[in-house]
């Protein structure tokens, strides 16, 4: 029995975990909330006691005391009211601060967590849903306020119950036997207990039904509002879509789709708010009216039985009313906490999520000659929640200081090979070694420092150019300019309003928009600035015009001087300047050698890929000098 009761309130475990995290951020907010709850619970009783006493004084015609009682009531209400108001504003401010800090912790965790975890669509969906819910239903700030309200209701119940019990135990002294029976302790206590139990059960049922209904409705509401967000953020206010909208005259199509969604949304909102009002407010009003009606009868019987004075009637009626309100508040707030903890639980689990990736403690020897040997040993890999292997039994050694091309059809496994090399993923089977030692034995950050990568789907940020290139606070401006020059973007940066201090993109008034090719050159500059022993360029010229592409290729030896470079491209002509070419197909390495060797095998993949493009670049590639 007791275990079942505990199980019903099991969600508070997640709630307390959330409170622990809040306490770590701000150690004063929970004590201040307790203080506010205690004062807010006691505050109504000041007026109840003084008002009850004042009525008895007036009936007794002891008018001398009235001015003192009124003065005491005003001063006590003013002082305690101001203190409660101060605590309320302080706690609201602190709750908002906690919310901002928690969001920062979540974002920070997202940057630090294993890459493969952040690529898990289920993890991303959970976080996305929880973030959306936080925006629309309240986050950690609402969460701490719910617990404050719960505590206030508990304090109110403790104080009011003590008064109600005292009321029940006051013996009647009326001349009427019937009144004395109905005003007796057993009868009045039994009626109030039964009535309270019934009212609690009924209000709990209504609250649970309402919130279960609300939970389902909220999920539907989330879908409706996400569609509105899509139209606002990604259609109407997204200038990048403006060209397509105008060229293809999409106004009518967009307008019709938006109106269709508006019509569906109106039907949903009509139902949502109607159900919300109909289900809960009416039922609560009905049960509370019945409860207070019976409570009035009990207290009036006590007056008639001469157990209490007329003044005390107001005090006890007030106490019963506070008790009833507090009970309903506990039920309602508990349901809100139950819903909120589901969303908070997602963030708590995410923040407490451990990186699964094994990291060792070995440091990598820093070599001025950049001689490092990496080898794949029968490596196979499949993504989580899939049965198909993306890489199958890959064994190869990366030749030191060579220019290596990795080629193959789409889906052949090239990008996965690079992710394993950079240890964004770990092999499902097999292992990878650096200088003969399993890479898992090296410190993870130390190992990552070995690689400079310009991914095909690279990202730049709305930060200054220098920070996008250097990626740290210790920026060497001369080195930034050198890397920008090598990638062919220095002249464009010099034209920007504040040169390398200029923010990219129009997120502030000084920001500048750049083309895809210009962005790709800055990404290459970033890879060069890191100055790591291994340079990996994934489709480095996909967004460049032919002249810019030629400039990159012609300076490639200078770009990767004295380093091991790995080059991924679908433009087969670029493979001619590479010393070593690794050909992937269906997750396996099927060919390896230089261009002159591989092109002779006309029936294999490399030759077929090269010849399929040869007519487009034959003359052009012959003019390149990559020596």
């Amino acid at each position: 029995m007791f275990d079942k009761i505990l199980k019903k309130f099991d969600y508070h475990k997640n709630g307390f975990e959330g409170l622990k995290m809040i306490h770590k951020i701000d150690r004063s907010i929970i004590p201040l909330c307790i203080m506010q709850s205690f004062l807010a619970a006691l505050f109504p009783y000041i007026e109840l006691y003084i008002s009850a006493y004042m009525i008895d004084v007036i009936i007794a015609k002891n008018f001398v005391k009235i001015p003192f009682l009124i003065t005491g009531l005003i001063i006590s209400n003013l002082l305690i009211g101001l203190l409660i108001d101060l605590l309320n504003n302080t706690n609201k401010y602190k709750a908002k601060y906690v919310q901002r800090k928690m969001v920062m912790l979540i974002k920070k965790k997202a940057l630090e967590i294993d890459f493969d975890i952040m690529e898990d669509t289920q993890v991303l969906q959970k976080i996305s849903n929880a973030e959306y819910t936080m925006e629309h239903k309240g986050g950690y700030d609402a969460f701490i306020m719910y617990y404050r309200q719960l505590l206030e209701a508990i304090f109110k119940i403790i104080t009011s119950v003590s008064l109600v019990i005292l009321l029940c135990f006051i013996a009647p002294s009326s001349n009427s036997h019937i009144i004395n029976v109905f005003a007796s302790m057993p009868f009045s206590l039994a009626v109030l207990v039964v009535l309270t139990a019934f009212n609690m059960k009924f209000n709990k049922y209504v609250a649970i039904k309402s919130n279960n209904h609300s939970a389902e409705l909220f999920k539907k509401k989330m879908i409706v509002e996400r569609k509105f967000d899509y139209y606002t953020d990604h259609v109407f206010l997204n200038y990048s879509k403006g060209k397509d909208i105008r060229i293809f005259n999409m106004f009518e199509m967009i307008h019709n789709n938006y109106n269709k969604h508006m019509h569906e949304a109106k039907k949903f909102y009509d139902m949502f708010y109607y159900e919300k009002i109909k289900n809960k407010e009416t039922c609560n009003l009905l049960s509370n009216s019945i409860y207070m009606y019976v409570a009035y009868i009990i207290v009036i019987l006590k007056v008639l039985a001469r157990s209490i004075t007329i003044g005390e009637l107001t005090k006890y009626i007030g106490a019963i009313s506070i008790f009833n309100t507090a009970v309903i508040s506990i039920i309602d707030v508990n349901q809100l906490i139950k819903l909120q903890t589901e969303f908070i639980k997602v963030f708590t689990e995410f923040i407490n999520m451990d990186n699964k990736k094994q990291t060792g403690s070995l440091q990598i020897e820093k070599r001025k000659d950049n001689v490092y040997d990496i080898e794949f040993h029968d490596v196979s890999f499949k993504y989580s929640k899939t049965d198909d292997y993306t890489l199958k039994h890959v064994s190869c050694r990366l030749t030191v200081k060579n220019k290596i091309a990795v080629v193959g059809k789409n889906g052949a496994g090239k990008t996965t090979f690079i992710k394993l090399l950079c240890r964004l993923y770990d092999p499902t089977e097999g292992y990878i070694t650096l200088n003969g030692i399993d890479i898992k034995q090296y410190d993870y950050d130390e190992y990552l420092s070995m690689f400079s990568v310009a991914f095909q789907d690279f990202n730049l940020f709305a930060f200054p150019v220098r920070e996008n290139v250097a990626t740290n606070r210790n920026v060497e401006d001369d080195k930034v300019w050198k890397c920008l020059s090598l990638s062919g973007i220095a002249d464009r940066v010099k034209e920007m309003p504040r040169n390398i201090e200029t923010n990219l993109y129009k997120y502030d008034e000084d920001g500048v928009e750049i083309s895809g090719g210009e962005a790709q050159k800055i990404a290459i500059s970033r890879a060069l600035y890191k100055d790591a022993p291994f340079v990996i360029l994934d489709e480095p010229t996909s967004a460049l015009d032919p002249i810019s592409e030629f400039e990159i290729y012609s300076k490639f030896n200078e770009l990767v001087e004295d380093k091991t470079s790995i080059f991924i491209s679908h433009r087969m002509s670029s493979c001619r300047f590479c010393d070593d070419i690794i050909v992937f197909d269906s997750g396996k390495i099927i060919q390896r050698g230089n261009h002159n060797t591989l092109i002779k095998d006309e029936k294999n993949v490399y030759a077929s890929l090269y010849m399929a493009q040869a007519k487009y670049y034959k003359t052009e590639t012959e003019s390149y000098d990559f020596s």
Side-chain angles (χ1 to χ4, degrees):
M1 178 69 178
F2 187 66
D3 290 339
K4 286 183 178 179
I5 294 172
L6 287 177
K7 194 172 182 181
K8 287 183 180 180
F9 295 97
D10 194 51
Y11 54 88
H12 281 297
K13 287 183 181 178
N14 296 323
F16 293 148
E17 286 298 317
L19 291 175
K20 283 180 185 177
M21 296 180 72
I22 289 170
H23 183 65
K24 287 179 183 178
I25 293 172
D26 190 325
R27 294 184 178 277
S28 66
I29 187 169
I30 292 178
L32 288 174
C33 282
I34 293 171
M35 188 184 299
Q36 182 190 344
S37 299
F38 181 72
L39 289 174
L42 290 181
F43 186 61
Y45 290 98
I46 296 171
E47 188 168 347
L48 283 179
Y49 269 88
I50 295 177
S51 298
Y53 186 62
M54 196 181 302
I55 291 170
D56 288 337
V57 165
I58 291 171
I59 292 172
K61 297 181 181 181
N62 191 357
F63 301 116
V64 178
K65 293 183 178 180
I66 292 175
F68 297 102
L69 291 171
I70 292 172
T71 304
L73 181 62
I74 292 171
I75 292 173
S76 58
N77 275 348
L78 180 64
L79 292 178
I80 298 177
L82 286 173
L83 182 57
I84 291 172
D85 192 51
L86 176 64
L87 287 169
N88 184 51
N89 289 330
T90 302
N91 287 332
K92 281 183 178 179
Y93 171 78
K94 286 180 171 291
K96 290 293 182 187
Y97 170 76
V98 166
Q99 168 69 4
R100 289 194 295 271
K101 290 291 289 183
M102 287 304 300
V103 170
M104 285 179 61
L105 279 175
I106 292 162
K107 303 298 183 188
K108 184 172 181 287
K109 185 68 176 184
L111 294 175
E112 295 173 346
I113 200 71
D114 287 344
F115 180 76
D116 53 346
I117 293 175
M118 284 308 297
E119 275 203 332
D120 189 322
T121 54
Q122 289 186 352
V123 172
L124 290 175
Q125 188 62 49
K126 276 187 177 181
I127 295 169
S128 175
N129 287 345
E131 281 184 332
Y132 188 87
T133 304
M134 183 184 284
E135 290 174 11
H136 291 80
K137 199 139 181 121
Y140 283 87
D141 50 343
F143 177 70
I144 184 68
M145 289 299 108
Y146 288 152
Y147 268 103
R148 193 209 64 73
Q149 291 170 28
L150 180 66
L151 189 60
E152 180 183 331
I154 291 171
F155 282 141
K156 283 181 176 179
I157 285 176
I158 292 170
T159 52
S160 58
V161 163
S162 61
L163 268 179
V164 172
I165 291 174
L166 178 63
L167 170 68
C168 293
F169 274 86
I170 299 175
S173 56
S174 169
N175 294 327
S176 170
H177 176 71
I178 295 174
I179 291 176
N180 286 342
V181 169
F182 285 113
S184 65
M185 183 274 291
F187 182 83
S188 56
L189 186 62
V191 170
L192 287 174
V193 168
V194 170
L195 189 64
T196 300
F198 172 78
N199 202 36
M200 286 177 65
K201 194 78 175 174
F202 181 77
N203 279 286
K204 184 180 178 182
Y205 173 79
V206 172
I208 291 172
K209 290 292 288 184
S210 172
N211 279 282
N212 282 343
H213 199 46
S214 169
E216 292 302 316
L217 284 175
F218 186 75
K219 290 175 184 176
K220 294 176 183 176
K221 186 169 177 274
M222 189 187 299
I223 295 170
V224 170
E225 292 182 349
R226 269 188 172 159
K227 287 184 179 179
F228 277 125
D229 289 347
Y230 171 76
Y231 281 107
T232 302
D233 299 337
H234 299 285
V235 179
F236 299 135
L237 299 180
N238 189 339
Y239 79 93
S240 65
K241 288 184 170 61
K243 300 187 293 293
D244 298 283
I245 291 171
R246 287 161 176 79
I247 293 295
F248 293 100
N249 193 20
M250 298 179 179
F251 298 105
E252 187 176 352
M253 178 193 72
I254 292 170
H255 187 261
N256 289 340
N257 276 285
Y258 183 72
N259 281 344
K260 181 182 176 182
H261 177 60
M262 279 288 290
H263 180 68
E264 293 172 353
K266 183 180 182 302
K267 287 196 297 184
F268 170 79
Y269 282 121
D270 287 345
M271 178 269 294
F272 180 80
Y273 289 107
Y274 171 72
E275 291 289 338
K276 191 173 182 181
I277 294 169
K278 180 191 74 175
N279 282 341
K280 194 173 178 184
E281 310 304 330
T282 306
C283 294
N284 281 348
L285 181 62
L286 178 63
S287 65
N288 292 342
S289 298
I290 295 171
Y291 185 87
M292 290 308 299
Y293 180 77
V294 176
Y296 264 99
I297 293 174
I298 294 293
V299 178
I300 289 170
L301 284 171
K302 285 286 184 180
V303 174
L304 294 175
R306 300 175 186 174
S307 300
I308 60 174
T309 65
I310 293 174
E312 288 175 324
L313 179 145
T314 60
K315 178 174 68 177
Y316 289 114
I317 284 292
I320 292 172
S321 178
I322 290 170
F323 173 78
N324 184 48
T325 305
V327 167
I328 294 170
S329 178
I330 283 181
I331 293 168
D332 287 345
V333 172
N334 250 313
Q335 293 303 313
L336 288 171
I337 289 172
K338 187 176 182 180
L339 285 173
Q340 198 76 5
T341 50
E342 288 300 312
F343 311 131
I344 297 297
K345 181 183 176 183
V346 174
F347 290 127
T348 305
E349 287 177 351
F350 180 67
I351 290 171
N352 292 329
M353 193 179 288
D354 293 325
N355 283 337
K356 297 178 182 178
K357 200 177 295 298
Q358 176 187 338
T359 180
S361 57
L362 290 181
Q363 300 296 304
I364 297 173
E365 179 188 4
K366 301 296 185 292
R367 299 179 62 100
K368 292 183 178 179
D369 58 5
N370 281 334
V371 176
Y372 297 97
D373 180 65
I374 289 184
E375 186 171 358
F376 281 62
H377 300 264
D378 195 27
V379 169
S380 297
F381 178 80
K382 62 179 178 180
Y383 289 94
S384 63
K385 296 168 185 161
T386 61
D387 296 325
D388 298 328
Y389 281 85
T390 309
L391 290 184
K392 304 168 188 174
H393 305 292
V394 171
S395 294
C396 66
R397 175 177 290 178
L398 301 183
T399 314
V400 175
K401 293 189 180 181
N402 268 5
K403 295 187 287 292
I404 304 168
V406 178
V407 300
K409 300 174 184 176
N410 288 334
K414 305 184 297 297
T415 301
T416 303
F417 175 76
I418 296 302
K419 288 179 178 178
L420 289 171
L421 174 63
C422 297
R423 219 191 155 199
L424 296 176
Y425 291 102
D426 282 333
T428 306
E429 299 168 13
Y431 61 100
I432 304 169
T433 58
L434 169 65
N435 294 339
I437 299 172
D438 192 327
I439 60 174
K440 292 180 181 179
Q441 296 185 35
Y442 290 106
D443 177 82
Y444 184 65
D445 292 331
E446 183 87 1
Y447 181 77
L448 288 182
S449 69
M450 298 282 292
F451 300 93
S452 286
V453 187
F455 288 107
Q456 183 180 5
D457 55 348
F458 64 87
N459 284 285
L460 300 179
F461 301 92
F463 304 152
V465 174
R466 68 199 296 267
E467 291 182 17
N468 271 286
V469 173
T471 71
N472 56 54
R473 294 182 180 178
N474 301 318
V475 181
E476 299 177 30
D477 287 353
D478 291 341
K479 188 176 177 181
V480 170
W481 281 113
K482 180 183 177 182
C483 294
L484 292 171
S485 179
L486 284 172
S487 63
I489 192 66
D491 291 340
R492 170 71 176 95
V493 174
K494 287 175 183 177
E495 294 172 357
M496 293 179 181
R498 296 167 59 200
N499 301 138
I500 57 174
E501 294 289 348
T502 305
N503 284 337
L504 297 181
Y505 308 119
K506 292 285 188 179
Y507 284 94
D508 63 26
E509 57 185 15
D510 297 325
V512 298
E513 288 296 328
I514 54 176
S515 68
E518 290 167 343
Q520 194 162 42
K521 289 179 179 180
I522 293 175
I524 293 172
S525 302
R526 179 167 62 193
L528 298 176
Y529 186 93
K530 189 176 180 182
D531 198 24
F534 290 84
V535 178
I536 301 171
L537 303 176
D538 186 358
E539 297 284 359
T541 61
S542 60
L544 302 183
D545 58 71
I547 295 174
S548 298
E549 182 180 25
F550 174 76
E551 290 173 352
I552 291 291
Y553 287 157
S554 62
K555 292 191 289 187
F556 200 78
N557 283 334
E558 186 180 358
L559 292 175
V560 297
E561 183 180 8
D562 202 35
K563 302 178 189 299
T564 302
S565 58
I566 300 172
F567 180 84
I568 303 173
S569 178
H570 286 99
R571 300 186 186 183
M572 302 301 293
S573 62
S574 59
C575 294
R576 296 187 62 176
F577 70 86
C578 291
D579 308 305
D580 189 11
I581 301 168
I582 301 173
V583 184
F584 277 86
D585 188 54
S586 301
K588 297 179 179 179
I589 295 177
I590 59 167
Q591 288 179 280
R592 187 168 184 179
N594 59 33
H595 171 76
N596 292 331
T597 302
L598 297 177
I599 198 67
K600 293 176 183 177
D601 189 356
E602 296 180 2
K603 294 182 179 180
N604 224 317
V605 172
Y606 180 82
S608 63
L609 290 173
Y610 188 89
M611 295 310 294
Q613 298 178 9
K615 61 182 179 180
Y616 298 111
Y617 54 64
K618 183 175 181 182
T619 304
E620 178 186 337
T621 54
E622 287 176 352
S623 67
Y624 288 3
D625 180 13
F626 299 120
S627 59

